[in-house]
């Protein structure tokens, strides 16, 4: 499932500033994949790829937010001013 992590990392990176390294997203996504493998429950009849995608993308976004010192409200206000 590592190609799934790569695909999600490229998709997430396309909407982020250039200074964020795709390799960092990939590493964080691999951690999310491991978490998905540990927590997946076959009894719920969900596709593993769908479940893993949510956890992988969530891990990447959480990591980006944790490393960003600017609050999200500042970005929202900047978008309102520039519009």
């Amino acid at each position: 499932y590592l190609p799934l992590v790569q695909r999600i990392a490229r998709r997430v990176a396309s909407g982020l500033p250039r200074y964020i390294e795709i390799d960092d997203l990939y590493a964080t996504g691999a951690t999310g994949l491991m978490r998905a493998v540990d927590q997946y429950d076959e009894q719920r009849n969900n596709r593993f790829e769908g479940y893993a995608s949510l956890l992988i993308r969530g891990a990447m976004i959480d990591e980006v937010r944790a490393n960003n010192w600017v609050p999200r409200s500042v970005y929202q206000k900047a978008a309102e001013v520039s519009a």
Side-chain angles (χ1 to χ4, degrees), residues 6-67:
Q6 290 175 334
R7 188 170 55 245
I8 294 171
R10 284 192 303 269
R11 193 176 303 142
V12 169
S14 69
L16 296 175
R18 294 224 178 247
Y19 64 85
I20 296 177
E21 296 288 330
I22 195 164
D23 290 337
D24 294 338
L25 291 176
Y26 183 71
T28 304
T31 304
L33 176 62
M34 288 187 283
R35 191 169 139 220
V37 168
D38 289 339
Q39 295 180 356
Y40 181 67
D41 183 13
E42 291 179 5
Q43 303 299 325
R44 301 188 107 183
N45 293 327
N46 293 333
R47 287 183 37 235
F48 177 75
E49 291 84 4
Y51 179 74
S53 295
L54 290 174
L55 290 180
I56 292 166
R57 186 174 185 279
M60 290 177 187
I61 292 172
D62 287 346
E63 183 68 20
V64 169
R65 286 182 180 160
N67 291 329

